[in-house]
Amino acid sequence: MNRSLHRALYSCALVLLTLMMTQTAALALPSDTLTLSRGWTFSEHGSSEVHPATVPGVVQQDLIRLGKLPDPYYRLAEDSIQWVGERDWDYACTFTLSPEQLQRPSIHLLFEGLDTYASVYLNGQKILEAENMFVAHEVDIRPYVKASNRLEVRFRSPLTAALPLYEAAGINYPADNDHAEKHLSVFTRKAPYHYGWDWGERMITIGIWRPVRVLLRGATFFAERPVVTYHPERSLPIEVRLPEGAVRGSEATHLHYHLYDATGRLVFERTAPLADFITPTERGGLHALANPQLWWPNGLGKPYRYKARFELLEGERGRVLDVAQCAVGLRTVELVREKDKDGQSFFFRVNGQPLFAKGANYIPGTLLLPTRTEADRKQLFDDVAGSHFNMLRVWGGGTYEEDAFYDEADARGILIWQDFMFACTAYPGDSAFLKNVHSELVYNIRRLRQHPSVATWCGNNEIREALKYWGWAKRYPKEVYEKFWHDYEALFCKLIPETLREEDPLRPYIESSPDTVNWGRPQEMGLGESHYWGVWYGRQPFEILRERMPRFMSEFGVQSFPMLPSISRFARPETDYDLESDVMKAHQKSSIGNDVILHYIRQDYPEPRDFADFVYLSQVMQGRGIALGIRAQRAAAPFCMGSLYWQLNDAWPAVSWSSIDYYGEWKGLQYEAKRAFAPIILVPDTVQGKMLLTYDPLPRQRQVSLTAEVRDFLGRLVRRHTFAPETLPAREVGRLEVALPMEKLFTSDAERKGAFVHYELRDARTKALITELTDYAARTKELRLPRTKAGDFTLKTTRRAGTLFIDIQSKTLLKDAYIDLGETGWQLSDNFLDILPGRRYRLRATRRQNAPARTTTALPTVTLRSITTAE
Ligand code: BMA
């Protein structure tokens, strides 16, 4: 390599002098922070080939950038990328400190995340050994730091690092999602899904995945932020507590605390000795506030946030030694588990009000975690808040998300059910493992506890269920199986709850999800929360979701294919557009997947005609089926008080249970979920002959009127039925049952197969439309749908500024119409809808905020597919 280039690569920059506080880091960042993000290099250990490195980043992302690794998501790339995770990699950079900076009493190096096994050297001196990607490391480097410094981070392959532990244990742990013969993943505190999953490829990433900073502080500083909690039952309801050990150094005597409202107006201020905040007293950390604004979840009010600012003072009016700030949301969250006549309740109460949880399970949006952008995050929260979600479960096989994720959840009113990162396998329980996990617990609990959005902690995903029902008792010798239980209890029944009692006593803890109910034991459904997999794994019809009703549905789902424009980004139409092609099989990680998808399509829909039709029908089936479940669960309130489907998103382009595919395209399910999670919905049950009006708490009572119009598929009115007006009471999760006179709506078999019923719910006074729904008295495949001919419908696309308008009108019913723009990156105002005969539709399409820029100004070619139209 050319020497000057070599030198240039090694010369590192001191970057970004931030004179700002971050509001979210658990460790209150001091006023003087150097972020080391430039001038890094990386090389394979032992190789002289040195390349510029992205920090934060992982080796794989740089190798892709350098053209040394293929796009890991394209076609069959998976096998060819595995070598990277099997090798060791070195990172290095240099940085300088000015004479003034070297004078700072405290100089620490902060790694916010190292993935995973790393030895860190500063000027040749080893300063850190890391072995957990979920923790930050802060090292006092004052003894070793100089004007010019060389920092080296040497990573070992997580596979070779874990091998001795595997061999010493003498057990191949269950971990069936770990796509290797030896299940090494359980020994390593690294995102479990990196090792593969039943929706994910395997990519063992390695690198400095979160920022590196030099913290230049005074002799006294905040090592932890004060914690603000809200206790409405007390006369002084706001508590500001300085956790023990939160202040380093000996100069601080007082804390100056300010609280600002959302407009920046100071609403409270106090200076008091530290002791009055360590054990909060009315002279210090306890106070009231006139008219406190509460933080509310999406749909129930504003997610109001105050801003708190804390100053450490030397003397009551003395020097400011350090500053910390954070957003504060005043709210209470309880998880109510009370014995009742049906078993045991399971619901969240927010600010005293029972909440029906609406949302989905979230997995990391890529395997290359550091490549995610702010636009990705904003788009994600736009998607979920716009679809009326109020909760996401951050599932335990991924990662604890970055601070900005929880900030966004706080700002959008999305409650977070936060799993600890353990999923679907037994784990070791030796003291070294538990010690490592303990540091992970403390770090993440402290980092996240100030977020009003974080509603509950949960120990793990499905491990209790697995121990009981996944056949491990037979698969392993008795003593091994007993060890699994013993280690399980040490971690989830002891270490985690004990740590939470110390660090975050107010927040609920669920030991394992599901907590009690196994889907194969319907008699248990009244006891709590369930992952209902009778639909999908049990191949039961969707309609069973009306009967198998848990107290809270925390997972249920079926798979579909990604959108066709998305498939075109990872597969080649000529060779790969076939269920049996190697590429499609490689992107379907569930061994039973395509068979089960076809099973469910055949229940309700005509046989798919070709690959594209299969893709389309998989989405119609998934959307309609899961929405049936969501509606039934909402209609079963207050018995059932939550509906989180599996799964919101994808980590790579895959056939999966997601409702938004890897490229951000909404599948049929996301549109259906948005409708089914709307504040007021109609839930018809044509079999039982009833209609349920189901609604989230309303600010005031509402008079509504319901009408039903039966029309044939050419739009001709068959009959009209008006129901008596009803009153929806205010302020409760409600349901109102109305008898559906099915025999009056459809009077013959011909009508049942040749007509639809369109319901409209209107405000009785203003006549404004609240919600509408089209329903059928027969399965789609039994309907006598007219074959759509050319000229039966019109589709016109126009553009005004950045918005496309798509106008549709049809003479015949277009059942399950899917509007395809032929390319990814567009957000449609609606899709996967029944286009009713004679009605005009105008859809809007805008670019998604994280979509790549288009390379053409031409209008996209818009096509329409429905059950009876091929194109
Ligand atoms: C759920 C999840 C995942 C899995 C999914 C589909 O139970 O917790 O582990 O991907 O099932 O099988």
Side-chain angles (χ1 to χ4, degrees), residues 177 197-199 393 395 424 461-462 531 533 537 555 646-647 657:
N177 290 302
W197 212 265
D198 63 359
W199 37 255
R393 171 173 175 233
W395 164 82
C424 301
N461 178 68
E462 295 186 347
H531 295 186
W533 286 106
Y537 288 108
E555 280 188 14
W646 181 267
Q647 70 202 66
W657 296 264

Side-chain angles (χ1 to χ4, degrees), residues 798-805 826 843-847 859:
T798 48
R799 175 168 40 204
R800 204 177 316 131
T803 304
L804 301 181
F805 295 93
W826 293 98
L843 310 184
R844 283 178 326 279
T846 45
R847 294 298 285 172
L859 281 180

Side-chain angles (χ1 to χ4, degrees), residues 330-559:
L330 303 179
R331 60 98 182 106
T332 58
V333 176
E334 300 151 84
L335 173 59
V336 185
R337 307 240 38 210
E338 279 164 5
K339 295 246 178 330
D340 57 24
K341 65 173 181 15
D342 302 305
Q344 196 176 12
S345 69
F346 190 109
F347 69 93
F348 292 94
R349 211 188 261 142
V350 180
N351 298 328
Q353 181 158 310
L355 170 108
F356 189 97
K358 304 186 295 184
N361 287 270
Y362 165 86
I363 64 169
T366 174
L367 283 140
L368 297 164
L369 289 167
T371 62
R372 293 179 304 177
T373 63
E374 193 186 335
D376 293 336
R377 206 164 36 238
K378 293 243 181 272
Q379 184 62 60
L380 171 89
F381 279 92
D382 275 0
D383 288 339
V384 299
S387 301
H388 312 290
F389 285 28
N390 56 29
M391 184 178 276
L392 283 180
R393 171 173 175 233
V394 176
W395 164 82
T399 65
Y400 308 91
E401 285 296 318
E402 66 271 11
D403 298 322
F405 177 96
Y406 301 93
D407 288 342
E408 202 63 36
D410 290 348
R412 309 300 291 261
I414 302 298
L415 292 164
I416 301 294
W417 166 319
Q418 179 69 47
D419 283 4
F420 290 103
M421 293 302 130
F422 302 92
C424 301
T425 178
Y427 284 88
D430 56 275
S431 55
F433 183 81
L434 292 180
K435 186 161 169 263
N436 190 3
V437 169
H438 184 246
S439 65
E440 167 186 333
L441 300 176
V442 171
Y443 171 71
N444 286 293
I445 295 167
R446 288 184 182 174
R447 184 166 70 90
L448 304 185
R449 66 186 169 193
Q450 191 56 63
H451 290 278
S453 58
V454 178
T456 188
W457 298 104
C458 171
N460 65 73
N461 178 68
E462 295 186 347
I463 304 182
R464 177 172 277 280
E465 164 131 326
L467 278 162
K468 285 165 84 172
Y469 304 118
W470 291 7
W472 296 351
K474 288 213 181 80
R475 180 165 154 193
Y476 291 92
K478 185 160 175 287
E479 64 284 3
V480 173
Y481 182 65
E482 278 168 6
K483 174 182 156 52
F484 287 171
W485 268 114
H486 175 270
D487 292 345
Y488 176 91
E489 277 162 10
L491 179 50
F492 302 109
C493 306
K494 213 167 160 330
L495 184 67
I496 296 181
E498 279 172 8
T499 310
L500 284 170
R501 232 168 282 140
E502 286 275 301
E503 303 290 342
D504 196 20
L506 288 186
R507 219 170 239 112
Y509 171 60
I510 301 157
E511 176 205 303
S512 183
S513 181
D515 68 330
T516 31
V517 183
N518 170 253
W519 66 262
R521 290 172 170 68
Q523 67 280 9
E524 293 178 354
M525 299 300 278
L527 294 175
E529 156 238 3
S530 169
H531 295 186
Y532 194 78
W533 286 106
V535 170
W536 185 257
Y537 288 108
R539 296 192 183 217
Q540 293 167 339
F542 287 118
E543 287 74 14
I544 201 151
L545 294 169
R546 295 201 176 111
E547 291 159 36
R548 297 293 153 82
M549 195 56 70
R551 310 306 293 271
F552 190 109
M553 188 67 97
S554 41
E555 280 188 14
F556 73 115
V558 295
Q559 282 196 345

